[in-house]
Amino acid sequence: MLDVPTRRITAFADRSFASPADKAVRIAEASPAARFVVRGRAAVPQTAAVALGFPLATDVCRAALGGERVALWLGPDEWLVIAPEHEAESLGAALASALAGVPHALVDVSHRNVGLTVSGPKASYILNHGCPLDLSLAAFPVGMCTRTILAKAEVVLWRTAEDAFRLECWRSFGPYVADFLEEARTEFK
Amino acid sequence: MLIINCPICGPRPEIEFRYGGEAHVARPAGTETLDDQTVADRLYMRTNPKGLHFERWRHAHGCGKYFNAVRDTVSDFFVTTYKAGEPKPDVAALLKDQAR
Ligand SMILES: [Zn+2]
């Protein structure tokens, strides 16, 4: 019988993010996570709370947090739920059973996305090299999240602190996005 | 960069959006009774105005939703945007407001 060794290799396995530019902006791979895309109409945010512990955000472009889980508002009927990796099976099952009574779509995208954290005093400046949004605190406050563009890649951007962002993109875009950010912070080396 | 006002997300850069063709093109009732010319007109013939145009846009790299816009095809000026399903706005009144 063919014996296939199974091993998780992240999209950034061979990459070192340490850089002299770290003092201005740090880039790091977010820990592996369980991720779900939840879609559905008005009843879904509250119904999902049974599994999640908190309702999905209904405010435009806002993240809802509870413990180590977060639900990012992507659209009026679409959310990205991110949770610790070990919850992939349990949370998926819990969401499926909680939402069973209402029309919805629930897709496990844990391995479709990769996460990066971008932090430091120049975080928004670096992101603005490829992201056309106004990332000032007034226009993009802590807790705001949205799908947007970073150079040629579609990303989900979430401001976790005044000087810190989490960025999610498709795994195949991961190296491109990391390279782009790396190049953007060259001036701080 | 041109800023487009998504009726859900607010003002956002144009590269997040995709054009979706003319708006308010209603599918006629009883399509099985229509002659070929009527079907062809409905499928392919558009108003193509020089001036104000009612059109669909999609916030593709944002909330993902389709909405409608009134845009001047000469100046590329967006007079207004509104959610899909809402009636055509009174453009004459809007333009008068903006001229003030
Ligand atoms: Zn939008």
Side-chain angles (χ1 to χ4, degrees):
Chain A
M1 206 176 101
L2 183 66
D3 206 10
V4 183
T6 53
R7 187 162 63 95
R8 277 283 290 284
I9 301 173
T10 80
F12 307 118
D14 301 324
R15 182 181 294 264
S16 166
F17 286 104
S19 158
D22 279 353
K23 60 187 185 304
V25 56
R26 283 183 309 283
I27 304 168
E29 181 182 3
S31 22
R35 299 173 176 88
F36 300 91
V37 168
V38 183
R39 298 203 62 171
R41 294 194 176 171
V44 164
Q46 279 299 337
T47 315
V50 177
L52 217 50
F54 56 91
L56 303 166
T58 47
D59 291 339
V60 171
C61 295
R62 285 297 180 276
L65 278 156
E68 288 184 274
R69 299 168 175 171
V70 62
L72 305 177
W73 184 102
L74 296 185
D77 57 2
E78 185 179 3
W79 296 266
L80 175 64
V81 174
I82 306 176
E85 187 185 27
H86 66 85
E87 294 194 321
E89 303 232 327
S90 57
L91 184 57
L95 279 168
S97 72
L99 292 167
V102 295
H104 72 280
L106 173 67
V107 182
D108 184 333
V109 294
S110 303
H111 298 214
R112 185 193 71 179
N113 281 19
V114 287
L116 286 170
T117 58
V118 182
S119 59
K122 292 291 180 188
S124 57
Y125 174 82
I126 288 301
L127 289 167
N128 273 145
H129 278 60
C131 174
L133 292 180
D134 180 354
L135 295 180
S136 66
L137 274 167
F140 204 100
V142 177
M144 183 164 170
C145 60
T146 185
R147 189 159 37 205
T148 183
I149 295 279
L150 185 87
K152 291 183 180 177
E154 183 180 278
V155 297
V156 173
L157 191 63
W158 168 33
R159 187 173 220 143
T160 52
E162 288 199 6
D163 63 351
F165 295 83
R166 181 182 177 119
L167 193 150
E168 289 265 324
C169 66
W170 286 11
R171 182 191 164 98
S172 57
F173 292 166
Y176 168 80
V177 167
D179 283 345
F180 183 87
L181 293 172
E182 204 59 73
E183 195 172 315
R185 68 173 175 167
T186 307
E187 63 179 290
F188 298 113
K189 279 181 180 168
Chain B
M1 189 178 289
L2 188 65
I3 301 291
I4 300 176
N5 197 41
C6 170
I8 292 165
C9 306
R12 302 282 288 243
E14 64 169 308
I15 58 170
E16 290 185 354
F17 296 85
R18 290 291 177 275
Y19 180 65
E22 184 165 359
H24 303 289
V25 180
R27 186 187 176 93
T31 41
E32 70 281 6
T33 63
L34 300 178
D35 61 46
D36 289 354
Q37 189 57 50
T38 313
V39 173
D41 285 352
R42 123 99 184 140
L43 281 175
Y44 303 115
M45 300 310 283
R46 296 293 178 259
T47 55
N48 194 28
K50 181 180 182 181
L52 296 184
H53 189 221
F54 292 82
E55 54 197 22
R56 306 170 77 212
W57 283 79
R58 180 170 178 250
H59 195 186
H61 301 297
C63 64
K65 288 294 170 188
Y66 273 98
F67 60 93
N68 293 331
V70 184
R71 183 178 59 97
D72 191 317
T73 59
V74 178
S75 62
D76 214 14
F77 175 71
F78 278 74
V79 178
T80 190
T81 55
Y82 51 103
K83 286 183 180 172
E86 290 179 357
K88 278 188 179 184
D90 183 349
V91 172
L94 280 167
L95 285 175
K96 207 186 283 175
D97 275 357
Q98 261 147 11
R100 235 177 253 150

